[in-house]
Structure formats: C-alpha cells, structure tokens
Amino acid sequence: MARDDVTRLRRWALVHKWTSLVCTAFLLLFCLTGLPLIFGDELRELLSDEPAFADLPADTPLANLDRIVATAKQKRPDHVVWFAFVDDDEPKVLVGMLPSPTADPRTARRLRFDARTGELLNEIEPYDVRPLTFVDLMLRLHRDLFAGLPGELFLGFMGLVFVVAVVSGGVLYAPFARRQGFGALRGVSRRLWWLDLHNMLGVVTIAWALVVGATGVMNELSQPLFAVWQRTDVQEMLKPYRGQSMPEAASFSSVQAAFDLAARTLPDRHPTSVVFPNGRIGSPHHYLIWTRGNAALTARLFTPVLVDVVSGKLTAVVEMPWYLRTLQVSRPLHFGDYGGLPLKIIWALLDLVTIVVLGSGLYLWLSRRRSPIELRLREEAATQEAAR
Amino acid sequence: MTRWHWPLVLAVLTFIGLVSALLGEGGPFWFVSWLALSVPLLVIALAVVRSLFRRPG
C-alpha cells in the first residue's frame, strides 16, 4: 500500500475513532429509546385507559366541527381554542385549548371527542401537570433529554457526528476487508471475530443507518426550521394585516365552513387540522388549515391553507419552502411507521443491529492495541493469508 | 469494485425498500419494501450462523 494511502487511511481511522467515541453513548440512548418508540402507537393503545369510541358503521358521517368546538368552549370557558385535529386513523377529534392565545403550548389541555357523535370522551391534562407515560418518557429522552430546544440541537449535533462516523467507517471497511470474502467472520481470535462482525454489520446496514441518522438530524431541527418559516414567509403573507389587533373570538366565522373551503380548494388533498388565531404559531388573523395529500406520497406532504377568520374567505394556499418539505419527507424515513407492522419489526431489528455495532465498536476500542495503522494493515494481510 | 460489490447491492436494496413504501400505500409497494429491507438482515443472520458453526471453542 502506498504511503499516501496509509496517511489517508490513518486520517480516516482517526475520524472514525473520535466521532464514534463522541457519539456512542448518545447513539445507544437513541437506539434504546427509539426501540419502543417504533411501536409507540401500539404501546399507547395498549397502555391507554381512555374510553373507547362508539361502535358505529364505517360510513357514519362526521359530526360538525363547530358543534365540537362549541362543546369544548362550554367545558373550558376560561380557555381559548388553539387547534382542532381530525384523525385519519381513528374516529377522533382532538381539541387543544390554551389559557390564553399567547400561553406556552405546554400548558395546553386536550379534549378528545368521538368524531362521529361529537361526544366529549375525556380530557387530557397539560404536559406540565399529567404524569409522564412510558412512551412520553422515551420520546423526551430520544428527542431533547428534557432540555427543550438546546437538548434538540445538541442531540441533532450528535446525530451529525454519527453520520460522519458511519461514512468514515465505510471508507475504512474496504482496505480491512480487502482479501476477505464478504460476510466472513474469522474465528482466529475473539477480538478478530468481533472486529469482523463490527465491520460486516456496519457495512450491511450502512445505507439504513445513514438515512435514519440524517433524517434524525433533520427532525431535531424542526423547531428552528418552523421558526424561520414563521418569521419569513408567514410574516410576508401577513403584511396586509400589520398593525391590526387579533379579532375577538366572538367574531370568528364557522370553522367547519373553513375546513370545507380548504377541501374544495385543494380537491386532491384533505384537511386534517386547523390552528386557531394565536400569538405564537400561524396567523393571528386566520384559520391555518393543514391539508395532506390523498395519495401515498403526498400524504406525507402537508400544505397549509389560510382562511380569514372573520370573513371566512380564502386568503392563500401556502407553498412550503424546500427545507420544510425535506423535513416532512424525512419524518417517516426516521420513524419507520409508513409500511405497516412488518416494516416496524424490520426497523426494530435494524435498530438492534445498530446497538451491536455500537457495543462491538466500544469493545474493540477498550481492547485496542497501541499499534500504528501500518502494522495493523500488515497484520490484517498476514492473518488473511494464513486463513486461506 | 469487488470489495464493494455486495455492500453496494445491499445499499441499493435498502434504498429500494425505504422508497417503495413511501411511493405507495399497502399492496405490492409494502411487500417490496419488506422484502428489500429483510435482505440485509438475512445476510447478517447467515454470516453469524456460518461463523458460529466454524468458530473454534
């Protein structure tokens, strides 16, 4: 091997060693907490003690959203409606309510309705008050270590370090597996077996690890990305309303009519949720209605529609910027929740493989020999020759 | 090229598996996804089983 190649390999080996060491503990946390999160929906359903939905025929029409919102207001007259979410998967409407239009979202109460009967089923306490469920605990550890935005940014950076570790591991794979058959695990010594296993598992799952790692970084950036959109594109759209105060709730037009208008405007999409005027997210003068496509691919791409909250007229169909479109596509690719239960099981197995890659990498580092890379390459070649 | 032959094939299969379920809902799209993403796992299982039978001690 030429001297330049050895120097180049030494650099890559250093990159792989240090990036791996820096992120291993956090990656183990990601993998361990991510495992139950893959089955988050199933676990929530299993552990839930919420009242069941009424047993009605599948084609039962949905209740009027205005009636559901009115019931929510009646139940919590000291709160304002923040959002209404109409679930695609189950006959559920979730109404989020805040103590004031500018209150912290963590103080939001959620009222769960049967979407067909419009009956209030139960009330979910704010995050700050209710006891943490197992899935919530896993999610918070996985997403932000209970540290909010700084935690998300830190874990996003760790995800980025992991991507570099995977790429550098891929570069190192070739020279060390040069004369060895693909997938062969040498039984000459325990350390060599684990080294071969580490290399083989890493290279076999490299594409999956890169995709899940990179999409994880994107997900950790979702808060800042939405904040950028809110401060640029959304503010640009709200220019005509600048200087006007937020309309009184009594003057709001029908939310059901706004929902229907969004559905008529975008016939190849359907509305899934509406954010009421508030001082934080969306517009203080509009219903912000999120729509999703009816086809498999576009179902992941959300497009917002702004409807004037007083007149009930369409203001705009908002084009999402490329970075939010990327975020939307990256979500399923990170969660693995877009191909039924078998895909979730495959995702969990790949997650377990990653845990073994991390564990074996740690073992190899702890049992390392202090030898230069030239010597290790010569040893590799000699061992492979002997094994032939 | 030979060093990367099988890893490249597996990477392509992984991408096919990841994208397939994104492009279509249920049916053949999901089946292709499950099948393509299972191949790397089967390769791992095969390699480990083979080495355990060969491994001395």
Side-chain angles (χ1 to χ4, degrees), chain A residues 148-216:
Chain A
L149 182 60
E152 287 182 18
L153 294 177
F154 175 75
L155 291 181
F157 178 67
M158 283 302 131
L160 202 61
V161 175
F162 170 67
V163 169
V164 177
V166 172
V167 171
S168 56
V171 173
L172 289 173
Y173 167 78
F176 281 96
R178 195 165 27 167
R179 295 194 192 120
Q180 206 177 319
F182 174 72
L185 306 178
R186 291 165 296 178
V188 181
S189 73
R190 183 186 292 268
R191 193 177 186 282
L192 267 183
W193 190 83
W194 279 104
L195 175 66
D196 288 346
L197 184 73
H198 178 83
N199 289 343
M200 190 265 291
L201 296 183
V203 83
V204 166
T205 58
I206 193 168
W208 181 84
L210 277 176
V211 168
V212 174
T215 53

Side-chain angles (χ1 to χ4, degrees), chain A residues 170 174 183 193 201 296 338-339 347, chain B residues 3-4 18 25 30 34 44 47 51:
Chain A
W193 190 83
L201 296 183
Y338 61 108
W347 224 257
Chain B
R3 274 172 269 170
W4 278 101
L18 290 172
E25 182 83 28
W30 283 13
W34 302 337
I44 290 169
S51 91

Side-chain angles (χ1 to χ4, degrees), chain B residues 4-43:
Chain B
W4 278 101
H5 183 78
W6 284 112
L8 274 177
V9 169
L10 290 173
V12 169
L13 275 174
T14 303
F15 279 117
I16 290 171
L18 290 172
V19 173
S20 175
L22 267 186
L23 294 178
E25 182 83 28
F29 291 98
W30 283 13
F31 186 72
V32 167
S33 175
W34 302 337
L35 202 66
L37 285 170
S38 297
V39 174
L41 291 168
L42 290 173
V43 168

Side-chain angles (χ1 to χ4, degrees), chain A residues 26 77 101 128 138 167 176 229 265 278 313 328 353:
Chain A
F26 295 100
D128 287 357
M138 293 297 109
V167 171
F176 281 96
W229 179 65
T265 307
N278 67 82
K313 288 185 177 158
Q328 290 170 353
V353 169

